[in-house]
Amino acid sequence: MNTRRNFIKNTVKVIGASAIIPTFSFNAIRSKKAKKEVILGHGNYQYKLNRDWAKISTVRNPILNCHEMVMDRKGRLIMIGDHTDNNIMIFDKSGKLLDYWGTAYPGGHGLTLSKEGEEDFLFLTDSGWFIDKTGKWIKHNGRVTKTTTDGRVIFDIGHPQTIGLYKEGESFCPTEVAVGPNGDIYVADGYGQDYIIQYSAKGEYIRHWGGHENSNKNYNLNNAHGVAIDYRDKSNPVVVCTSRNDNAFKFFTLDGKYIRTLILPNMYVCRPVFDDNNLYSGVCWSQPKGEKFDWKAHTGFVTVLEGDKVVSNPGGTPPIYKGKELQKSYQLEDKPIYHGHDICIDEDKNLYVCQWNANKTGPLKLERV
């Protein structure tokens, strides 16, 4: 990887946020038209965009939205989407489809890997939002399901109303799960009541926090879209929650005590994804300069942080700091990434980007250069 990175860095002049260099594929030679390589990102975090990574037939394996992806201990890339012909798709790193399953998650949204002994398990979240046959968005109540990697259901976590936590009529539309160091399950009700609900490894309720009406406003969550465990300080793991409409991540102790807030101006971030000392996130939307925010518009990209500092925005403008204050970032004008909904990182530091509302396309691969 280092030799390849140095070769490309020495032969490509990066201009602004992206660079374009010519390359020839077999099809391009046949058509006598040269395709162009697109390099996205900044500083030490630059990537070659591969739009055609996922080798799938949209007839046999249709996609509505790619939502999230994880990598299991076998190096397989497992993706969740919301098409009930194949909620789960399993790829190798070349993009070859190895397996697919799942027909019961019309709102398939969140996917979390749990390594337990010698076996991997998955936590699937159905957000409750799905597209019906007429193309209309329909809301129902969601659920969390623990499965094996081949789809055998272990148990479900259903509506909190069944244990008296929610009142009648309050929606439960979970978007994400994180698994703590002792196996505790943290559920983000990001499209429902914006709570983080903590359960034991057996699915028994422990506590919850977040929501909207706390006397201490630091506990308020505004679209608690993602949740993850930050193990960068191995002696002190913490829970990191997305407050997407606040363009922020909020940090809490494992028992829900507020620690701090990290603001990312103009970035409607999805779940935090940790790798080494870095935090990665898809940016589902940004507000273009001089325009109103539009959740249906293609305005997303990806962001990369070293510690708390943004160092690269693949698909977006370069991060700019004035003193210690990060300025607003924006999507590039040519929209190389429509929406960054989730990021998966492999051992070579390549990124796999799942996109919501991306014209029914598969995940993108960003190859580290």
Side-chain angles (χ1 to χ4, degrees):
M1 280 298 295
N2 289 335
T3 300
R4 182 171 179 272
R5 284 187 206 168
N6 291 336
F7 172 78
I8 291 178
K9 286 182 179 179
N10 290 332
T11 55
V12 181
K13 183 178 180 181
V14 180
I15 302 176
S18 64
I20 300 178
I21 59 176
T23 184
F24 290 86
S25 68
F26 179 72
N27 289 334
I29 293 173
R30 289 178 60 185
S31 64
K32 297 182 180 180
K33 293 182 179 180
K35 291 184 178 180
K36 293 181 178 179
E37 287 188 352
V38 177
I39 307 298
L40 304 175
H42 311 94
N44 293 325
Y45 298 89
Q46 297 181 39
Y47 306 86
K48 182 177 74 172
L49 175 63
N50 184 350
R51 299 183 186 279
D52 302 317
W53 171 78
K55 300 172 179 65
I56 54 176
S57 165
T58 55
V59 175
R60 291 193 302 271
N61 300 105
I63 287 175
L64 288 175
N65 298 282
C66 301
H67 277 127
E68 293 195 342
M69 179 178 279
V70 295
M71 186 171 67
D72 69 7
R73 70 182 71 204
K74 298 177 182 178
R76 302 181 306 168
L77 297 157
I78 306 174
M79 187 208 85
I80 190 169
D82 50 7
H83 199 297
T84 52
D85 280 5
N86 37 223
N87 283 127
I88 297 293
M89 293 183 175
I90 303 177
F91 299 89
D92 67 13
K93 293 190 187 71
S94 74
K96 178 183 177 182
L97 185 64
L98 303 175
D99 195 8
Y100 59 92
W101 52 266
T103 61
Y105 308 95
H109 187 278
L111 185 65
T112 300
L113 186 75
S114 177
K115 295 183 178 181
E116 302 176 21
E118 299 300 316
E119 192 170 0
D120 289 343
F121 293 90
L122 299 172
F123 282 91
L124 286 65
T125 59
D126 185 314
S127 71
W129 281 100
F130 70 96
I131 301 175
D132 71 7
K133 62 181 65 178
T134 68
K136 182 180 179 182
W137 283 95
I138 303 295
K139 184 179 181 180
H140 64 113
N141 282 305
R143 73 185 196 274
V144 173
T145 304
K146 182 179 182 180
T147 75
T148 59
T149 55
D150 59 0
R152 180 170 58 88
V153 174
I154 307 301
F155 62 76
D156 279 328
I157 294 177
H159 200 301
Q161 183 180 330
T162 62
I163 57 173
L165 181 59
Y166 281 22
K167 299 175 183 177
E168 184 176 354
E170 289 184 331
S171 299
F172 178 58
C173 296
T175 47
E176 189 65 76
V177 164
V179 180
N182 66 346
D184 281 359
I185 303 161
Y186 297 84
V187 177
D189 187 14
Y191 291 159
Q193 306 307 306
D194 279 337
Y195 288 125
I196 304 298
I197 310 173
Q198 183 179 354
Y199 298 87
S200 73
K202 296 180 180 179
E204 303 159 324
Y205 170 75
I206 297 174
R207 65 174 61 86
H208 69 284
W209 70 88
H212 306 139
E213 298 179 356
N214 297 283
S215 56
N216 183 342
K217 302 302 182 184
N218 288 319
Y219 284 86
N220 288 352
L221 295 172
N222 188 7
N223 188 199
H225 188 271
V227 61
I229 307 298
D230 182 356
Y231 290 100
R232 290 178 293 180
D233 180 352
K234 293 181 174 56
S235 64
N236 186 34
V238 298
V239 181
V240 185
C241 308
T242 306
S243 191
R244 189 163 70 176
N245 290 347
D246 295 323
N247 308 142
F249 291 122
K250 293 193 173 186
F251 293 70
F252 298 85
T253 64
L254 295 176
D255 58 357
K257 301 295 189 299
Y258 173 79
I259 301 172
R260 63 190 180 93
T261 298
L262 175 61
I263 301 292
L264 300 170
N266 203 38
M267 298 189 201
Y268 290 80
V269 285
C270 295
R271 75 164 161 182
V273 179
F274 296 97
D275 181 74
D276 294 332
N277 193 45
N278 293 355
L279 188 163
Y280 298 78
S281 183
V283 177
C284 202
W285 307 286
S286 58
Q287 183 175 336
K289 293 180 181 179
E291 298 181 24
K292 293 182 179 180
F293 175 78
D294 182 356
W295 70 274
K296 295 182 180 180
H298 301 308
T299 58
F301 52 95
V302 171
T303 192
V304 183
L305 291 79
E306 288 184 345
D308 284 350
K309 184 177 182 180
V310 177
V311 292
S312 182
N313 286 326
T317 56
I320 297 173
Y321 282 83
K322 291 185 178 179
K324 295 183 178 181
E325 188 172 338
L326 177 65
Q327 305 302 295
K328 289 183 177 180
S329 300
Y330 301 90
Q331 184 191 54
L332 294 177
E333 290 185 2
D334 58 347
K335 301 181 183 295
I337 297 174
Y338 282 172
H339 299 273
H341 195 274
D342 190 43
I343 309 299
C344 184
I345 306 105
D346 69 19
E347 65 273 18
D348 293 322
K349 309 306 180 184
N350 302 309
L351 309 185
Y352 303 84
V353 182
C354 290
Q355 297 192 94
W356 170 80
N357 188 23
N359 300 325
K360 302 180 181 180
T361 56
L364 306 174
K365 184 176 182 179
L366 300 184
E367 300 175 13
R368 182 82 176 266
V369 299

